[in-house]
Amino acid sequence: MATLTETAARRDSAEPPDRRPHRRTAARGIPLLPAVLVLGAFLAGPVLYSIYLAFTNRALRGEGASETSFVGLDNFRTAFDTSEFWNAVGLTLVFTVVSGIIGQNVLGMALALLLRRSATWVGVLTGTIVVGAWIVPEVVAGYLWYTFLSDGGSLNGILGFLHLPNQDWLIASPIIAVSFANIWRGTAFAMLTYSAALSQVSPELDESAQIDGAGPVRRFWSITLPLLRRSIMTCLMLTTLQTLSVFGLIYVMTGGGPGIQSQTLPLYMYEQAFSYGQLGYGTAVALMLLLVGGLAALAYLRVLPKEDKE
Amino acid sequence: MSTESATLTGVGAATAKAGRRGGHAKRNLTVKAGSSVILLIIAVVFCIPLLWVILASINPNASLSVEWPGSPSTDNYRAVLNTDTTYRPIWNSVILCGGGTILTMICSALAAYPLSRYQSRAKRPFLLTIIFATGLPITAIMVPVYAMFVRVNLIDSMIGAIFFLAASSLPYAIFLMKNFMDGVPKELEESAWTEGAGTLRALWSIVLPLMRPGTAVVMMLTFAKMWGDFFVPFMLLLSPDKLPASVSLFTFSSQYGQVAYGQLAAFSILYSLPVVLLYLVLGRRLRDGFVAAGGLKG
């Protein structure tokens, strides 16, 4: 009896978080089941299905509609030989770098830094407006920017007032137009992330550097940036991933046009699958997009602090 | 003597420091004013697209440009407030996003419990998979999802769309819920366990009430994301009478032939209102969500 209690006590001290007997370990996993089932059927399922579908000629009509057959790497070969595909890759790169990586992060960081130094009411007002742009639904944001940049829109009104040249921005530089809309929409995320990170940096470090005579630029580069390195990496990864999958905003503003001048990969994928009915080919493009996203997500996993993964 | 000189030097240094600090105070004031001005300019720039929708919605002759309505009226609102244009799409959105949010909250709360409370060899790989899945671009799988839904006859089904919306928001919801749950001390449930309460009981009556602010943040983020989502219902729902507000707003212009910008703006406002209100109610707690969302621990 005494030995039993002793063993039990020893086991307790060996694994303090685990008070319950071992045979219940499997039962403890039961609450995970609903989530695992939903994720398995509706998320892992489509991902696996896309790996199969990308190697077939499945189509909505014509050849491949009645009978589906394996075509090996044909879909990928077609993609690599098509200039429209490379056009979409290039535009996706421009869109992601201009709006996601540079635009949202630089503006978000600038806002986070300015918010700390400005008058309180200005900070609250600006923060609310920027977050307001983020909270507005995607299609509404698309229409707002469509009207803002159109021929008879507000931007041209302002430019006309300043006696500057007018043009239809959605036709003249569509990819830049949608990039600006995406910066407007996504900056709040970077701003909130960087504000939260900055609030955890001790102000004493900055003050002592200031007393030592370091200027604001120097202090930002040598103190703030290194301390925020990890937050910056995670925020960069997340904005990249979000920007990679933007569809509605571009679809509403330009539909990928004029021609294919703002057709990023998601829009190219959609057009191939539904306008041309090539589900197999569209899926092959989707799979490549998924792979790029998967790589970015892996990079994100690597920079995430260890305690979050445990 | 030596003490005195030390004191003197000390005082001297203090005075010098005070003088410099005075300079700092002045400089800080300039910095504050400068920052405020720059922020105000950014705020105005951010505001212009938003201004259009507000002014156009009360302007019976709205155009593409921001302009002060000559004779403001509620005509646009009255024109869109009918079953076909507003009530049914909004109601569909409520069913779709409400259903999806409830499903997400139930699954994520249940899943977070063992992840937060127990140690297991399978836990780390599972969590890593969840975090990895939060990053996957959902847009990319919409074509295979469409093809799969056609196969299993779930196309144009509200239930199918609800389940897919829930699946796509589950990884992030589980991750956030687990982080919030880690903040609730375990000792509180241990007494409940000794009294014979099961997992569900402990979760429902002890853990969840203690993490209510966290749950509210997860719920708001999930709901707002689904409410604004366009691509998922656009792909998975076909019948006009099942379309949520996001898709019906997109088809708005073609419905009327000539785009009625004023009505488009009025409907945009009605459709955005629920998430904006939700944000106003829960906005301050959003910040906690960002601190907890990981990667922010410096």
Side-chain angles (χ1 to χ4, degrees):
Chain A
M1 186 67 199
T3 10
L4 259 180
T5 334
E6 224 176 271
T7 331
R10 207 176 301 146
R11 196 167 38 184
D12 268 357
S13 61
E15 333 170 352
D18 253 0
R19 286 262 171 92
R20 315 177 96 195
H22 275 288
R23 64 193 145 81
R24 302 221 26 193
T25 311
R28 286 169 179 174
I30 288 175
L32 278 168
L33 270 182
V36 170
L37 286 179
V38 173
L39 285 172
F42 291 90
L43 213 58
V47 171
L48 293 176
Y49 191 56
S50 73
I51 296 173
Y52 155 77
L53 209 59
F55 296 93
T56 69
N57 67 348
R58 176 79 55 83
L60 290 174
R61 29 178 197 275
E63 199 192 344
S66 49
E67 213 179 318
T68 308
S69 52
F70 268 98
V71 292
L73 289 170
D74 271 10
N75 288 328
F76 296 92
R77 231 170 274 143
T78 314
F80 293 143
D81 286 342
T82 313
S83 63
E84 277 88 2
F85 172 76
W86 291 111
N87 170 66
V89 171
L91 288 175
T92 309
L93 207 66
V94 171
F95 183 63
T96 309
V97 171
V98 170
S99 70
I101 296 179
I102 300 175
Q104 292 179 5
N105 279 283
V106 171
L107 188 57
M109 177 64 90
L111 281 168
L113 288 168
L114 287 168
L115 282 174
R116 269 157 62 97
R117 289 173 174 76
S118 65
T120 317
W121 69 271
V122 177
V124 171
L125 181 75
T126 314
T128 309
I129 291 170
V130 173
V131 174
W134 180 56
I135 218 84
V136 162
E138 196 176 15
V139 181
V140 175
Y143 277 125
L144 291 184
W145 276 81
Y146 173 80
T147 60
F148 182 58
L149 297 175
S150 288
D151 209 4
S154 308
L155 182 60
N156 281 336
I158 297 168
L159 291 176
F161 181 74
L162 297 171
H163 299 292
L164 289 166
N166 273 356
Q167 60 191 136
D168 191 328
W169 302 98
L170 294 166
I171 291 172
S173 46
I175 194 69
I176 299 301
V178 294
S179 297
F180 270 91
N182 193 45
I183 295 174
W184 180 81
R185 207 174 123 70
T187 294
F189 179 81
M191 180 189 81
L192 289 169
T193 308
Y194 291 139
S195 289
L198 278 172
S199 69
Q200 292 180 343
V201 173
S202 133
E204 281 145 36
L205 268 175
D206 206 54
E207 268 166 29
S208 64
Q210 196 171 4
I211 286 164
D212 287 342
V217 177
R218 176 75 202 274
R219 288 197 312 262
F220 178 69
W221 280 110
S222 342
I223 298 173
T224 316
L225 266 192
L227 282 172
L228 294 186
R229 211 179 61 102
R230 184 151 255 162
S231 302
I232 292 169
M233 295 304 283
T234 41
C235 193
L236 275 175
M237 284 341 291
L238 290 175
T239 47
T240 303
L241 284 162
Q242 282 161 3
T243 311
L244 266 183
S245 54
V246 169
F247 177 87
L249 190 69
I250 304 179
Y251 195 65
V252 170
M253 282 178 71
T254 67
I260 51 169
Q261 284 181 54
S262 59
Q263 192 178 59
T264 55
L265 271 174
L267 280 102
Y268 177 69
M269 169 197 90
Y270 175 80
E271 188 186 66
Q272 292 299 318
F274 294 100
S275 302
Y276 303 135
Q278 299 298 323
L279 279 185
Y281 180 66
T283 308
V285 176
L287 196 60
M288 288 186 260
L289 186 60
L290 199 63
L291 274 179
V292 174
L295 287 177
L298 272 184
Y300 167 55
L301 266 188
R302 283 194 67 97
V303 294
L304 205 65
K306 213 173 161 211
E307 63 261 39
D308 272 331
K309 298 181 235 172
E310 273 155 9
Chain B
M1 180 63 207
S2 67
T3 355
E4 209 178 87
S5 76
T7 323
L8 269 176
T9 338
V11 169
T15 334
K17 220 179 218 176
R20 227 185 301 163
R21 206 171 273 163
H24 278 307
K26 215 176 279 169
R27 201 183 310 149
N28 281 343
L29 211 66
T30 327
V31 168
K32 195 170 178 178
S35 309
S36 303
V37 169
I38 300 173
L39 272 186
L40 278 177
I41 293 171
I42 297 177
V44 167
V45 172
F46 261 76
C47 240
I48 296 172
L50 285 172
L51 268 183
W52 175 81
V53 76
I54 295 166
L55 292 179
S57 79
I58 52 168
N59 187 349
N61 308 310
S63 70
L64 284 166
S65 194
V66 172
E67 55 191 343
W68 201 256
S71 49
S73 77
T74 54
D75 288 358
N76 293 322
Y77 287 95
R78 243 176 288 151
V80 296
L81 278 176
N82 57 60
T83 311
D84 278 348
T85 318
T86 303
Y87 300 136
R88 197 174 42 220
I90 296 279
W91 177 241
N92 287 338
S93 285
V94 169
I95 296 178
L96 206 62
C97 309
T101 305
I102 292 171
L103 194 60
T104 306
M105 293 314 289
I106 293 175
C107 290
S108 64
L110 285 172
Y113 190 77
L115 291 174
S116 169
R117 270 22 192 181
Y118 305 130
Q119 293 304 320
S120 155
R121 241 170 301 158
K123 190 173 127 179
R124 207 176 128 82
F126 185 81
L127 264 179
L128 288 179
T129 316
I130 289 290
I131 300 173
F132 176 72
T134 58
L136 285 184
I138 295 297
T139 306
I141 61 168
M142 285 321 291
V143 172
V145 165
Y146 175 87
M148 196 177 99
F149 271 37
V150 169
R151 267 289 158 98
V152 295
N153 220 356
L154 270 176
I155 278 291
D156 204 23
S157 133
M158 277 295 217
I159 301 287
I162 286 174
F163 268 89
F164 182 74
L165 279 174
S168 61
S169 44
L170 256 180
Y172 192 55
I174 295 176
F175 179 54
L176 278 185
M177 287 292 261
K178 188 245 167 203
N179 275 350
F180 283 125
M181 216 174 266
D182 285 346
V184 178
K186 213 175 189 177
E187 289 71 35
L188 292 167
E189 295 139 79
E190 278 173 355
S191 61
W193 284 345
T194 36
E195 278 162 36
T199 305
L200 275 183
R201 189 68 198 276
L203 177 66
W204 181 253
S205 48
I206 296 169
V207 184
L208 283 181
L210 285 170
M211 52 179 284
R212 211 173 281 152
T215 323
V217 169
V218 183
M219 202 188 288
M220 182 208 153
L221 287 174
T222 308
F223 186 82
K225 201 177 135 263
M226 288 182 187
W227 190 264
D229 196 87
F230 165 72
F231 204 24
V232 174
F234 181 62
M235 295 283 281
L236 301 182
L237 299 172
L238 307 172
S239 325
D241 60 328
K242 286 181 189 161
L243 295 181
S246 56
V247 185
S248 80
L249 176 59
F250 178 68
T251 50
F252 202 90
S253 37
S254 50
Q255 259 176 24
Y256 289 79
Q258 187 79 31
V259 181
Y261 288 109
Q263 297 180 15
L264 184 92
F267 182 61
S268 297
I269 288 190
L270 291 171
Y271 160 49
S272 309
L273 217 54
V275 279
V276 172
L277 289 178
L278 196 64
Y279 168 71
L280 287 179
V281 173
L282 288 171
R284 214 171 294 161
R285 285 176 177 170
L286 201 65
R287 199 155 290 224
D288 310 341
F290 271 83
V291 178
L296 305 175
K297 284 161 189 160

